């Protein structure tokens, strides 16, 4: 699909992204000590169905593997693509990333947050805050005339100025009829490099930030990405539309009235 969306495609993206945000918002309210990540996944599946949407994750193919769940739920040292499981119980003091990607009417909306389970260590609070701030800094650079590297650079500088590191092995991406479209949006890079930003792009910007080193590895389940040094990691994501008036976050909840 083209880098620049038509007005028709943009209005469909608005719908899928609004639903993705609403699903994530409802899912986050269920997080508490004692719940399993599978409980959350099943709730996510049901909430998507209530909106007439479906998970874009379920059955998503990377190489020869198909993703077996409806959401990605990544706890503590898990960076992304945590596979929900009945054996994974959330505990007080954990941090959990919920990544919800829906398909509605042929279009994808992709968003994620990391939130505390009960009371968490101040260091983890800082990790989540810096990750959210870096997303905001990246989004701010998604303006006409800039390049993708300006987004990447803003994220990396904010994270590293705070003593954390950005994951290199996974990147943000364009999104539309497919979950992963060009351009790639790394969370590290140099100003003034990469694809030029023009109005009508829909971009999934998603910093992944580690307390320790930037290296990651994938567990034997073939999906779950964890930090190589087992340090905690946070992740957040929005789908953003570029316009002549600046970036517009599409993955926001709309009130029922609007
Ligand atoms: N939601 C993820 C992203 O932000 C991708 C999900 S991978 C899948 O790009 F395998 F779970 F589908
Ligand atoms: Co996502
Ligand atoms: Co994404």
């Amino acid at each position: 699909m083209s880098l620049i969306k038509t007005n028709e495609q943009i209005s469909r993206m608005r719908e899928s992204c609004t639903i993705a945000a609403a699903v994530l918002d409802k899912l986050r309210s269920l997080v508490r000590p004692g719940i399993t990540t599978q409980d959350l996944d099943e709730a996510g599946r049901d909430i998507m169905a209530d909106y007439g949407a479906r998970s874009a994750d379920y059955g998503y193919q990377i190489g020869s593997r198909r993703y077996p769940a409806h959401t990605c739920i990544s706890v503590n040292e898990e960076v992304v693509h945590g596979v929900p499981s009945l054996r994974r119980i959330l505990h007080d003091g954990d941090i959990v990333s919920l990544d919800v990607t829906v398909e509605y009417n042929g279009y994808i909306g992709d968003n994620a947050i990391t939130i505390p389970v009960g009371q968490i260590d101040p260091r983890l609070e800082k990790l989540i805050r810096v990750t959210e701030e870096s997303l905001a800094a990246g989004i701010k650079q998604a303006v006409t005339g800039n390049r993708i590297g300006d987004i990447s650079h803003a994220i990396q500088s904010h994270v590293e100025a705070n003593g954390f590191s950005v994951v290199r092995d996974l990147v943000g991406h364009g999104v539309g009829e497919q979950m992963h479209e060009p351009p790639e949006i790394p969370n590290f890079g140099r100003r003034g490099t990469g694809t030029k930003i023009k109005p009508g792009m829909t971009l999934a910007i998603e910093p992944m930030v580690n307390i320790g080193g930037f290296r990651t590895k994938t567990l034997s389940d073939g999906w779950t990405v964890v930090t190589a040094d087992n340090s905690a990691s946070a992740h957040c994501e929005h789908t953003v539309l570029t316009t002549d008036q600046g970036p517009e976050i599409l993955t926001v909840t709309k009130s029922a009235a609007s």
Side-chain angles (χ1 to χ4, degrees):
M1 192 170 167
S2 162
L3 285 182
I4 311 297
K5 270 60 182 172
T6 64
N7 287 339
E8 169 69 19
Q9 291 170 326
I10 289 168
S11 62
R12 290 187 185 214
M13 283 298 288
R14 285 185 190 288
E15 292 176 345
S16 60
C17 288
T18 303
I19 293 171
V23 173
L24 182 57
D25 198 49
K26 291 194 169 167
L27 202 54
R28 78 179 295 166
S29 72
L30 302 178
V31 167
R32 55 172 173 77
I35 197 166
T36 70
T37 55
Q38 177 148 332
D39 291 334
L40 290 170
D41 189 65
E42 286 170 6
R45 176 201 59 201
D46 293 347
I47 299 163
M48 289 184 225
D50 289 344
Y51 284 97
R54 64 167 196 94
S55 166
D57 291 349
Y58 189 75
Y60 186 76
Q61 203 166 354
I62 300 183
S64 60
R65 290 173 196 277
R66 287 187 178 275
Y67 190 72
H70 299 85
T71 59
C72 296
I73 305 184
S74 310
V75 186
N76 296 338
E77 78 287 352
E78 297 172 356
V79 179
V80 287
H81 305 169
V83 181
S85 154
L86 258 186
R87 293 184 310 274
R88 190 72 200 234
I89 302 167
L90 297 183
H91 297 292
D92 187 62
D94 286 344
I95 59 170
V96 61
S97 138
L98 309 172
D99 190 344
V100 168
T101 315
V102 308
E103 188 249 292
Y104 178 76
N105 214 347
Y107 287 76
I108 309 282
D110 191 6
N111 65 169
I113 47 170
T114 296
I115 56 172
V117 183
Q119 273 299 111
I120 60 169
D121 189 276
R123 186 110 184 110
L124 294 174
E125 273 171 10
K126 182 183 173 192
L127 174 68
I128 292 174
R129 177 175 56 78
V130 168
T131 305
E132 285 170 354
E133 288 167 355
S134 75
L135 174 57
I139 292 172
K140 222 171 148 186
Q141 295 298 317
V143 295
T144 307
N146 268 3
R147 289 177 184 267
I148 294 297
D150 295 301
I151 299 174
S152 309
H153 177 81
I155 292 170
Q156 180 179 22
S157 347
H158 186 71
V159 168
E160 292 180 354
N162 282 281
F164 299 138
S165 64
V166 289
V167 168
R168 266 83 159 150
D169 299 332
L170 297 128
V171 297
H173 50 94
V175 54
E177 288 168 4
Q178 305 295 323
M179 176 158 52
H180 294 140
E181 298 185 356
E184 288 196 347
I185 309 174
N187 297 303
F188 61 98
R190 290 184 9 249
R191 273 193 197 112
T193 62
T195 304
K196 240 196 185 137
I197 296 170
K198 296 181 178 155
M201 294 176 150
T202 45
L203 306 174
I205 305 177
E206 49 179 317
M208 290 152 258
V209 178
N210 302 347
I211 283 193
F214 66 82
R215 289 199 168 73
T216 69
K217 60 184 187 196
T218 302
L219 296 185
S220 58
D221 64 11
W223 291 103
T224 312
V225 177
V226 298
T227 56
D229 59 10
N230 275 313
S231 69
S233 184
H235 169 227
C236 57
E237 173 174 36
H238 271 307
T239 301
V240 173
L241 170 70
T242 57
T243 80
D244 271 326
Q245 288 78 45
E248 179 187 341
I249 300 174
L250 296 184
T251 40
V252 289
T253 50
K254 301 254 173 9
S255 70
S258 69

